[in-house]
Amino acid sequence: MTITLQILLVIFSILLLILIIRDVGRSKIIFSDFSYWLLFSIFLIIIAVFPKVSEWLALLMGIKTVAFSVFLMVVTMLIILTLSLSFRVSILNRRFIQLTQNLALLENENTRRLDKLEKFMNKS
């Protein structure tokens, strides 16, 4: 791995850590997302500081270029994050539909009760 790639990885990881910690302090990120990005940035720092780790992983994966193996690992981690977020969005979409349906039923019930009450008050 070139020294340029190592420096870029360290800089990127430190910036990522700063952004994550800032967002946690502002309550903009939940803990599960925080832990994912924390592990991601620690992983990048380990790869940058200890290039032998990335060389070993490249050898393990059968990839000749260390930079490509780092790129592949980062893309894989981002795909995993995207898949996780997709699952979360699907669950939240389903909940939203259920809540909307429940709200419609409650509004319908309230309207019927108000109509009954108005009829009862008009009879009196």
Side-chain angles (χ1 to χ4, degrees):
M1 179 182 323
T2 64
I3 191 72
T4 306
L5 182 57
Q6 287 177 295
I7 292 170
L8 285 175
L9 281 174
V10 169
I11 291 171
F12 175 74
S13 299
I14 290 171
L15 287 175
L16 184 61
L17 276 173
I18 291 169
L19 289 174
I20 292 167
I21 292 169
R22 187 192 68 184
D23 285 349
V24 167
R26 294 179 181 176
S27 299
K28 287 185 175 182
I29 190 169
I30 59 175
F31 183 74
S32 62
D33 292 337
F34 167 74
S35 59
Y36 177 85
W37 287 110
L38 182 65
L39 291 174
F40 184 70
S41 61
I42 289 171
F43 174 74
L44 290 178
I45 289 172
I46 289 171
I47 286 177
V49 173
F50 304 109
K52 292 290 181 190
V53 173
S54 57
E55 290 172 14
W56 178 77
L57 289 172
L59 183 65
L60 187 68
M61 291 186 288
I63 299 173
K64 293 179 183 175
T65 309
V66 176
F68 183 72
S69 69
V70 171
F71 177 74
L72 182 64
M73 288 183 275
V74 169
V75 168
T76 302
M77 292 177 83
L78 292 175
I79 288 172
I80 291 169
L81 176 65
T82 303
L83 188 60
S84 170
L85 291 175
S86 177
F87 290 151
R88 239 191 265 173
V89 166
S90 295
I91 290 168
L92 290 174
N93 191 29
R94 196 172 327 129
R95 279 184 177 169
F96 178 75
I97 290 169
Q98 290 172 346
L99 287 172
T100 305
Q101 291 170 344
N102 288 341
L103 180 63
L105 291 172
L106 287 172
E107 286 178 349
N108 186 29
E109 180 68 23
N110 283 342
T111 303
R112 283 190 315 123
R113 286 183 180 179
L114 280 174
D115 288 344
K116 278 185 179 179
L117 183 61
E118 285 177 357
K119 286 180 184 177
F120 178 75
M121 295 297 279
N122 288 339
K123 285 184 181 179
S124 301

Coordinates of all heavy atoms in Angstrom, one line a residue, residues 2-46:
T2 N 0.5 2.2 -0.8 CA 1.4 3.4 -0.9 C 1.2 4.3 0.3 O 0.1 4.2 1.0 CB 1.0 4.2 -2.2 OG1 -0.3 4.7 -2.1 CG2 1.2 3.4 -3.4
I3 N 2.1 5.1 0.6 CA 2.1 6.0 1.7 C 0.9 7.1 1.5 O 0.3 7.5 2.4 CB 3.4 6.7 2.0 CG1 3.4 7.5 3.3 CG2 3.8 7.7 0.8 CD1 3.4 6.6 4.5
T4 N 0.7 7.4 0.2 CA -0.4 8.3 -0.1 C -1.8 7.7 0.3 O -2.6 8.4 0.9 CB -0.4 8.7 -1.6 OG1 0.9 9.1 -2.0 CG2 -1.4 9.7 -1.9
L5 N -2.0 6.5 0.0 CA -3.2 5.8 0.3 C -3.3 5.7 1.8 O -4.4 5.9 2.4 CB -3.3 4.4 -0.3 CG -4.6 3.6 -0.1 CD1 -5.8 4.4 -0.5 CD2 -4.5 2.3 -0.7
Q6 N -2.2 5.4 2.5 CA -2.3 5.3 4.0 C -2.7 6.7 4.6 O -3.5 6.7 5.5 CB -0.9 4.9 4.5 CG -0.6 3.4 4.3 CD 0.8 3.1 4.8 OE1 1.8 3.6 4.2 NE2 0.9 2.2 5.8
I7 N -2.1 7.7 4.1 CA -2.4 9.1 4.6 C -3.8 9.4 4.4 O -4.5 10.0 5.2 CB -1.4 10.1 4.0 CG1 0.0 9.9 4.6 CG2 -1.9 11.5 4.3 CD1 1.1 10.7 3.9
L8 N -4.3 9.2 3.1 CA -5.7 9.4 2.8 C -6.7 8.7 3.7 O -7.7 9.2 4.1 CB -6.0 9.2 1.3 CG -5.4 10.2 0.3 CD1 -5.6 9.7 -1.1 CD2 -6.0 11.5 0.5
L9 N -6.3 7.4 3.9 CA -7.2 6.6 4.8 C -7.2 7.1 6.2 O -8.3 7.2 6.8 CB -6.7 5.1 4.8 CG -7.1 4.3 3.6 CD1 -6.5 2.9 3.7 CD2 -8.6 4.1 3.5
V10 N -6.1 7.5 6.7 CA -6.1 8.1 8.1 C -6.9 9.4 8.2 O -7.7 9.6 9.1 CB -4.6 8.3 8.6 CG1 -4.6 9.1 9.9 CG2 -3.9 6.9 8.8
I11 N -6.6 10.3 7.2 CA -7.4 11.6 7.2 C -8.9 11.3 7.1 O -9.7 11.9 7.8 CB -6.8 12.5 6.0 CG1 -5.4 12.9 6.3 CG2 -7.8 13.7 5.8 CD1 -4.7 13.6 5.2
F12 N -9.3 10.5 6.1 CA -10.7 10.2 6.0 C -11.3 9.6 7.2 O -12.4 10.0 7.7 CB -10.9 9.2 4.8 CG -12.3 8.7 4.6 CD1 -13.2 9.6 4.1 CD2 -12.7 7.5 5.0 CE1 -14.5 9.2 3.9 CE2 -13.9 7.0 4.8 CZ -14.9 7.9 4.3
S13 N -10.6 8.7 7.9 CA -11.0 8.0 9.1 C -11.2 9.0 10.2 O -12.2 9.0 11.0 CB -10.1 6.9 9.5 OG -10.1 5.9 8.5
I14 N -10.2 9.9 10.4 CA -10.3 10.9 11.4 C -11.5 11.9 11.2 O -12.2 12.2 12.1 CB -9.0 11.7 11.6 CG1 -7.9 10.7 12.1 CG2 -9.1 12.9 12.4 CD1 -6.5 11.3 12.1
L15 N -11.6 12.3 9.9 CA -12.8 13.2 9.6 C -14.1 12.5 9.9 O -15.0 13.1 10.4 CB -12.7 13.6 8.1 CG -11.6 14.7 7.8 CD1 -11.6 14.9 6.3 CD2 -11.9 16.0 8.6
L16 N -14.2 11.2 9.5 CA -15.4 10.4 9.8 C -15.6 10.3 11.3 O -16.8 10.5 11.7 CB -15.2 9.0 9.2 CG -16.4 8.1 9.2 CD1 -17.6 8.7 8.5 CD2 -16.0 6.7 8.7
L17 N -14.6 10.1 12.1 CA -14.8 10.0 13.5 C -15.3 11.4 14.1 O -16.2 11.4 14.9 CB -13.5 9.6 14.2 CG -13.2 8.2 14.3 CD1 -11.8 7.9 14.8 CD2 -14.2 7.4 15.1
I18 N -14.7 12.5 13.6 CA -15.1 13.8 14.1 C -16.6 14.0 13.7 O -17.4 14.5 14.6 CB -14.2 14.9 13.4 CG1 -12.8 14.8 14.0 CG2 -14.8 16.3 13.7 CD1 -11.8 15.7 13.3
L19 N -17.0 13.7 12.5 CA -18.4 13.9 12.1 C -19.4 13.0 12.9 O -20.4 13.4 13.3 CB -18.6 13.6 10.6 CG -18.0 14.6 9.6 CD1 -18.1 14.0 8.2 CD2 -18.7 15.9 9.8
I20 N -19.0 11.8 13.2 CA -19.8 10.9 13.9 C -20.0 11.4 15.4 O -21.1 11.4 15.9 CB -19.2 9.4 14.0 CG1 -19.2 8.8 12.6 CG2 -19.9 8.5 15.0 CD1 -18.4 7.6 12.5
I21 N -18.9 11.7 16.0 CA -18.9 12.2 17.4 C -19.7 13.5 17.5 O -20.5 13.7 18.4 CB -17.5 12.4 17.9 CG1 -16.8 11.0 18.1 CG2 -17.5 13.1 19.3 CD1 -15.4 11.0 18.4
R22 N -19.6 14.4 16.5 CA -20.4 15.6 16.5 C -21.9 15.3 16.3 O -22.7 15.9 17.0 CB -19.9 16.5 15.3 CG -20.6 17.9 15.3 CD -20.4 18.6 14.0 NE -21.1 17.9 13.0 CZ -21.0 18.2 11.7 NH1 -20.3 19.1 11.3 NH2 -21.7 17.5 10.8
D23 N -22.2 14.4 15.5 CA -23.6 14.0 15.3 C -24.2 13.3 16.5 O -25.4 13.5 16.8 CB -23.8 13.2 14.0 CG -23.7 14.0 12.7 OD1 -23.7 15.3 12.8 OD2 -23.6 13.4 11.7
V24 N -23.4 12.5 17.2 CA -23.9 11.9 18.4 C -24.2 12.9 19.4 O -25.2 12.9 20.2 CB -22.9 10.8 18.9 CG1 -23.2 10.4 20.3 CG2 -22.9 9.6 18.0
G25 N -23.3 13.9 19.5 CA -23.5 15.0 20.5 C -24.7 15.8 20.2 O -25.3 16.3 21.1
R26 N -25.1 15.9 19.0 CA -26.3 16.7 18.6 C -27.5 15.8 18.5 O -28.6 16.2 18.1 CB -26.1 17.3 17.2 CG -25.0 18.4 17.2 CD -24.8 19.0 15.9 NE -23.8 20.0 15.8 CZ -23.4 20.6 14.7 NH1 -24.0 20.3 13.6 NH2 -22.4 21.5 14.8
S27 N -27.4 14.5 18.9 CA -28.5 13.6 18.9 C -29.1 13.4 17.4 O -30.3 13.2 17.3 CB -29.6 13.9 19.8 OG -29.1 13.9 21.1
K28 N -28.2 13.4 16.5 CA -28.6 13.3 15.1 C -28.5 11.8 14.6 O -28.9 11.5 13.5 CB -27.9 14.2 14.1 CG -28.2 15.6 14.2 CD -27.5 16.4 13.2 CE -27.9 17.8 13.1 NZ -27.2 18.6 12.1
I29 N -27.8 11.0 15.4 CA -27.5 9.6 15.0 C -27.8 8.7 16.1 O -27.6 9.0 17.3 CB -26.0 9.5 14.5 CG1 -25.7 8.2 13.8 CG2 -25.1 9.8 15.6 CD1 -24.4 8.1 13.2
I30 N -28.4 7.5 15.8 CA -28.7 6.6 16.8 C -27.5 5.7 17.1 O -26.6 5.6 16.3 CB -30.0 5.7 16.5 CG1 -29.8 5.0 15.2 CG2 -31.2 6.6 16.4 CD1 -30.9 4.0 14.8
F31 N -27.5 5.0 18.2 CA -26.3 4.2 18.6 C -25.9 3.2 17.7 O -24.7 2.9 17.4 CB -26.5 3.6 20.0 CG -25.3 2.9 20.5 CD1 -24.2 3.6 21.0 CD2 -25.3 1.5 20.5 CE1 -23.1 3.0 21.4 CE2 -24.1 0.9 21.0 CZ -23.0 1.6 21.4
S32 N -26.9 2.4 17.1 CA -26.5 1.4 16.1 C -25.8 1.9 14.9 O -24.8 1.3 14.4 CB -27.7 0.6 15.7 OG -28.6 1.4 15.0
D33 N -26.2 3.1 14.4 CA -25.5 3.7 13.3 C -24.1 4.2 13.8 O -23.1 4.1 13.1 CB -26.3 4.9 12.8 CG -27.5 4.4 12.1 OD1 -27.6 3.3 11.6 OD2 -28.5 5.2 12.0
F34 N -24.1 4.8 15.0 CA -22.8 5.2 15.6 C -21.8 4.1 15.7 O -20.6 4.2 15.3 CB -23.0 5.9 16.9 CG -21.8 6.1 17.7 CD1 -20.9 7.1 17.4 CD2 -21.4 5.3 18.8 CE1 -19.8 7.4 18.1 CE2 -20.3 5.5 19.5 CZ -19.4 6.6 19.1
S35 N -22.2 3.0 16.2 CA -21.3 1.8 16.3 C -20.8 1.3 15.0 O -19.7 1.0 14.9 CB -22.0 0.7 17.1 OG -23.1 0.3 16.5
Y36 N -21.7 1.3 14.0 CA -21.3 0.8 12.7 C -20.2 1.8 12.1 O -19.1 1.3 11.7 CB -22.5 0.8 11.7 CG -22.0 0.4 10.3 CD1 -21.9 -0.9 9.9 CD2 -21.7 1.4 9.3 CE1 -21.5 -1.3 8.7 CE2 -21.3 1.0 8.1 CZ -21.2 -0.3 7.7 OH -20.8 -0.6 6.5
W37 N -20.4 3.1 12.1 CA -19.4 4.0 11.6 C -18.2 4.1 12.4 O -17.1 4.3 11.9 CB -20.1 5.4 11.4 CG -21.0 5.4 10.3 CD1 -22.4 5.5 10.4 CD2 -20.7 5.3 8.9 NE1 -22.9 5.5 9.2 CE2 -22.0 5.4 8.2 CE3 -19.6 5.2 8.2 CZ2 -22.0 5.3 6.8 CZ3 -19.6 5.1 6.8 CH2 -20.9 5.1 6.1
L38 N -18.3 3.9 13.7 CA -17.1 3.8 14.6 C -16.2 2.6 14.2 O -15.0 2.8 14.0 CB -17.5 3.7 16.1 CG -16.4 3.7 17.1 CD1 -15.6 5.0 17.0 CD2 -16.9 3.4 18.5
L39 N -16.9 1.5 14.1 CA -16.1 0.3 13.7 C -15.5 0.4 12.3 O -14.4 0.0 12.0 CB -17.0 -1.0 13.7 CG -17.4 -1.4 15.1 CD1 -18.4 -2.6 15.0 CD2 -16.2 -1.8 15.9
F40 N -16.3 1.1 11.4 CA -15.8 1.3 10.0 C -14.5 2.2 10.0 O -13.5 1.9 9.4 CB -16.9 2.0 9.2 CG -16.6 2.2 7.8 CD1 -16.5 1.1 6.9 CD2 -16.4 3.5 7.3 CE1 -16.2 1.3 5.5 CE2 -16.1 3.7 5.9 CZ -16.0 2.6 5.1
S41 N -14.6 3.3 10.8 CA -13.4 4.2 10.8 C -12.2 3.5 11.5 O -11.1 3.7 11.1 CB -13.8 5.5 11.4 OG -14.2 5.3 12.8
I42 N -12.5 2.7 12.6 CA -11.4 2.0 13.3 C -10.8 1.0 12.3 O -9.5 0.9 12.2 CB -11.9 1.4 14.5 CG1 -12.2 2.4 15.6 CG2 -10.9 0.4 15.1 CD1 -12.9 1.9 16.8
F43 N -11.6 0.3 11.5 CA -11.1 -0.6 10.5 C -10.2 0.1 9.5 O -9.1 -0.4 9.2 CB -12.3 -1.3 9.8 CG -11.9 -2.2 8.7 CD1 -11.3 -3.4 8.9 CD2 -12.1 -1.8 7.4 CE1 -10.9 -4.2 7.9 CE2 -11.7 -2.6 6.3 CZ -11.2 -3.8 6.6
L44 N -10.6 1.3 9.1 CA -9.8 2.0 8.1 C -8.5 2.5 8.7 O -7.4 2.4 8.1 CB -10.6 3.2 7.5 CG -11.7 2.9 6.6 CD1 -12.4 4.2 6.2 CD2 -11.3 2.1 5.4
I45 N -8.5 2.9 10.0 CA -7.3 3.3 10.6 C -6.3 2.1 10.8 O -5.1 2.3 10.5 CB -7.6 4.0 12.0 CG1 -8.3 5.3 11.8 CG2 -6.4 4.1 12.8 CD1 -8.8 6.0 13.0
I46 N -6.9 1.0 11.2 CA -6.0 -0.2 11.3 C -5.4 -0.6 10.0 O -4.2 -0.9 10.0 CB -6.8 -1.4 11.9 CG1 -7.2 -1.1 13.3 CG2 -6.1 -2.7 11.7 CD1 -8.2 -2.1 13.9

